[in-house]
Every structure is written in structure tokens, then in C-alpha cells.
Amino acid sequence: MVHNSSSGSSFKRFGFGAAAAVGVAGALVALSVSGTAGATSGGTAVKARPTIVLEHGAFADASSWNDVIKRLQKAGYPVVAPANPLRGPASDAGYLRSVLDRIEGPVVLVGHSYGGTVISDAATGYEGKVKALVYIAAFLPEAGETSLGLSNKFPGSTLGDAIEAVPYTLTGGTSGTDIYIKRDKFRGQFAADVPRSQAALMAATQRPIAAAALEEKSTKAAWKTIPSWSLITTQDYNIPPAAQRFMSQRANAHTTEIKASHAVSASHPDAVTRIIQQAATTTR
């Protein structure tokens, strides 16, 4: 049912555990992507459809958008779903901007979970190109805020009890900690309304987020200058619904609520596609 309305032990302290949030699909990025060519209808030029760029969040990969991509492509939209490095808002936004630079024409930028933090940074300065921002069960941070802090702002997340922190050391001595959701808790925590077999695949292919990314402060908030849409998931155990509402209202986003888990792009692809198309058609 859908109805409309106008983030070790240190991680246990934020309901969101250590994982800002989630999801997106395989790297389908070509060196240059352009929208549907401008056609004519009765001698009148028809604007090109914007390219839809889908940014996944933590504990997911680009394939989490697959069912949404199928629907958007069927509707005639060019779609790009790049891999999100999940290393930190600033560096991840820089990577996403390199994707945007290769796309010709207008863009609708969509972020799921932590991907919302990334698109909020990446779109700043691209106001002429990025026509709309769409937040899917996502963070809409203000400058100076962190995923950890926003997750702690309201009760409701159980992610802290579901995560596993895995230290790593890279060649050259650089070290850090990656955060995963434990496989035996993945479905209940992240994708409770996704079929068990599909959730098992998602758990096996989840991509971790750097723990440091969850405490890195955002520096930009593109939702202040670009029209925004938000899909709030009311059965979300990663980002509390109250936190999603707070951020969406603050951003004056066009908001829709749906009874769904955090993995809404997998469980309710029609609803996700619908709000993306609303943003795309309203801002053309």
C-alpha cells in the first residue's frame, strides 16, 4: 500500500549500527550516454528523455536496481547504474561526478540509502544538468551531518546488532574496517519482504561500506537547489522511517510512503520506478 504526502562496539551506539544504508545495479556505464534523441511529433520537437543514474548504497551492488532498470528501459529511458565505491561521501561523490561527466543531456539522479548522501554531494554544481534528485529510503544530509548521526537521531534501527566489522590491510600498509551485515541476519534486517532465495543472493553479493564513511561529514546538500523526490519505507530497520521523514520534510521533497523494507527497489520495483518517472516527467 502506497500513500502520498507533499548508520565493533562503537557502532552499537547508533541504531543504524555501522552501516549507513544501502543499494544499486552492475556497472553499465559507457564512455558516453545520451538521452533518447529529440524526435518530432506533428512537427513539434520532443525533448530528449533524461538519463536515469542509479546510485546504490551499502550492503548492495548495482544489481539491486535490476528490476527497476528493466521497467525504466521498457519505458524508453536510458539508464546507468554505476558501482558505488562505498569509501566515503567525498570520494564516492567524486567518482559519481566522473560518471555524470560522460553523460550527454539531462540527468535524473537517484540514490538509495547511503547513495542519497553521495548524490547530494555529487549533484552540487551540476544544477544545469541534474534536473531532479530522487531519494529511495535514503539519507538527505545537511552539510556537517553524518550517516551515523542521522541514524541516531531517531529510534528504530536494529542494524547495530546485525553488522560484522572486518578489518583489512592493503598493499602499502593502509588499513581500515569494512562493515557487512551478517548473512544469517541479512533478510530480516535488510530485505524482509524479499523472497528468501533472492535475499540469500543479495546477502552473498553484498558490498561492504568503509566504517569511516559513516562518520565522514557531508559538505554539500544539492537538494537545496535541485527539485527532490523521496520514497520513505515504513518497515525499514536500517534508516528509521522517522529519520527519513525528518530529512524529506526539511528538503521540501515530494514525498511518498510505502510499507516496505529497506530493500524496496527489489521488493517494490513498480513503486520505485513510478516515483523516478514522476521526477523525470515533472522536470522535463
Side-chain angles (χ1 to χ4, degrees), residues 28-269:
L28 306 175
V29 185
L31 286 180
S32 178
V33 179
S34 57
T36 303
T40 59
S41 177
T44 302
V46 177
K47 286 186 178 180
R49 290 189 174 180
T51 298
I52 311 299
V53 178
L54 304 167
E55 182 81 342
H56 70 85
F59 320 122
D61 64 11
S63 69
S64 61
W65 295 108
N66 280 356
D67 289 338
V68 174
I69 293 171
K70 291 175 185 176
R71 287 160 172 77
L72 289 170
Q73 289 179 334
K74 185 176 181 179
Y77 289 94
V79 184
V80 174
N84 184 348
L86 302 174
R87 300 297 88 187
S91 62
D92 295 342
Y95 183 88
L96 182 55
R97 280 190 288 272
S98 73
V99 174
L100 296 176
D101 288 340
R102 289 169 171 80
I103 297 174
E104 298 176 4
V107 167
V108 170
L109 195 48
V110 185
H112 174 238
S113 191
Y114 166 80
T117 295
V118 178
I119 69 170
S120 295
D121 186 318
T124 303
Y126 284 71
E127 285 81 358
K129 182 169 198 163
V130 177
K131 302 302 182 181
L133 300 171
V134 183
Y135 295 88
I136 306 297
F139 290 108
L140 294 78
E142 173 63 276
E145 293 180 333
T146 67
S147 297
L148 177 83
L150 287 166
S151 295
N152 277 335
K153 196 172 184 71
F154 297 91
S157 175
T158 58
L159 189 57
D161 294 325
I163 62 168
E164 179 179 13
V166 180
Y168 65 84
T169 301
L170 304 178
T171 301
T174 301
S175 61
T177 301
D178 272 345
I179 303 300
Y180 295 81
I181 296 178
K182 297 173 183 176
R183 291 202 188 182
D184 62 343
K185 295 189 175 183
F186 187 91
R187 183 170 185 258
Q189 176 62 44
F190 191 86
D193 54 355
V194 173
R196 289 186 179 278
S197 59
Q198 184 178 358
L201 289 173
M202 294 169 67
T205 59
Q206 67 173 297
R207 294 186 57 228
I209 188 168
L214 304 175
E215 297 189 82
E216 181 182 322
K217 292 181 179 180
S218 295
T219 60
K220 300 178 179 69
W223 47 261
K224 291 184 175 181
T225 56
I226 299 175
S228 300
W229 279 254
S230 179
L231 183 63
I232 295 171
T233 43
T234 64
Q235 294 187 322
D236 197 318
Y237 299 119
N238 276 27
I239 307 177
Q244 295 181 46
R245 292 187 186 105
F246 164 76
M247 292 182 284
S248 299
Q249 292 168 4
R250 179 178 64 180
N252 293 314
H254 303 275
T255 302
T256 299
E257 295 198 3
I258 183 171
K259 185 178 179 181
S261 73
H262 196 60
V264 64
S265 62
S267 63
H268 293 81

Side-chain angles (χ1 to χ4, degrees), residues 264-275:
V264 64
S265 62
S267 63
H268 293 81
D270 287 329
V272 174
T273 303
R274 188 157 48 245
I275 195 169

